[in-house]
Amino acid sequence: GCAICLGVEQDRAQVNVMMSVPVEIQLYLAREADTLALGAKIAGFVAQGMFIELHGNLGSGKTTLARGLLRGLGFVEKVKSPTYTLVEHYKLPELDLYHFDFYRFNDASELADAGFRDHFEQHNVCVVEWPERAFGILPAADMEIYLAIEGEGRRARIGAETQRGKNCLVQMKAK
């Protein structure tokens, strides 16, 4: 093959190797403002059809991160926790964002009965607190964000299960 073709093949090989390597970001968030800022930063990489899981104990900052994400997407009204309503819908100029809280679910049939799986479509962004309560019936998450209380602040660990999520993390790391 020609030199140009070999160069393209080498580039493809490097991209394939890079994408098979797990990508993870870890951050220490000293204050609530840092959690909000992380959400706003993630907003810069969110696209229609994305699914983001938020993991962490009660009080670890999941709803605060979701509020930062919504602020970063231009939502200026009050952001409510979906703890009692199970889902809050935010209609934004570029996309619809559904913020779920599955803490109250006890089995998969409750999720199926609620009809929430219909929201996981290509034109929506879905952010889910307590996804482990969905008992494995959700699609693969583009981003998984784990928040843990550490001292006075929070430790955030961000991973990805999909190619789209890995691409977002690679771009986030570069900025």
Side-chain angles (χ1 to χ4, degrees), residues 79-83 85-90 97-101:
V79 175
K80 297 176 275 185
S81 171
T83 301
T85 58
L86 303 180
V87 63
E88 291 291 337
H89 175 221
Y90 300 93
L97 187 141
Y98 289 89
H99 179 195
F100 297 93
D101 186 329

Side-chain angles (χ1 to χ4, degrees), residues 60-76:
S60 62
K62 296 180 299 294
T63 300
T64 300
L65 186 86
R67 188 169 57 241
L69 173 66
L70 281 156
R71 293 283 180 261
L73 291 170
F75 187 79
V76 294

Side-chain angles (χ1 to χ4, degrees), residues 2-24:
C2 68
I4 294 171
C5 296
L6 291 174
V8 168
E9 286 174 23
Q10 283 177 335
D11 289 345
R12 277 196 200 121
Q14 286 177 328
V15 167
N16 289 338
V17 167
M18 183 180 87
M19 292 309 157
S20 66
V21 174
V23 181
E24 185 177 277

Side-chain angles (χ1 to χ4, degrees), residues 94-170:
E94 303 292 320
L95 52 86
D96 284 343
L97 187 141
Y98 289 89
H99 179 195
F100 297 93
D101 186 329
F102 292 159
Y103 181 73
R104 299 189 180 287
F105 285 146
N106 294 311
D107 63 61
S109 67
E110 290 180 75
L111 180 63
D113 293 345
F116 291 151
R117 288 181 63 179
D118 299 343
H119 297 301
F120 290 81
E121 297 177 358
Q122 285 305 309
H123 61 277
N124 297 331
V125 171
C126 292
V127 176
V128 177
E129 296 186 33
W130 300 97
E132 58 275 9
R133 302 268 178 141
F135 307 97
I137 63 172
L138 296 176
D142 293 299
M143 265 189 216
E144 299 173 300
I145 303 170
Y146 294 85
L147 295 166
I149 297 170
E150 186 176 299
E152 296 293 312
R154 306 289 183 268
R155 171 71 52 192
R157 186 169 50 85
I158 307 168
E161 288 186 17
T162 67
Q163 193 58 57
R164 178 178 14 202
K166 288 178 183 179
N167 291 344
C168 287
L169 292 186
V170 167

Side-chain angles (χ1 to χ4, degrees), residues 14-59:
Q14 286 177 328
V15 167
N16 289 338
V17 167
M18 183 180 87
M19 292 309 157
S20 66
V21 174
V23 181
E24 185 177 277
I25 296 173
Q26 287 203 39
L27 301 163
Y28 180 72
L29 309 167
R31 299 176 313 284
E32 181 179 355
D34 297 330
T35 305
L36 290 167
L38 175 59
K41 181 175 183 173
I42 291 168
F45 302 95
V46 166
Q48 288 183 344
M50 286 191 76
F51 168 34
I52 301 171
E53 290 183 347
L54 300 179
H55 297 269
N57 291 330
L58 290 169

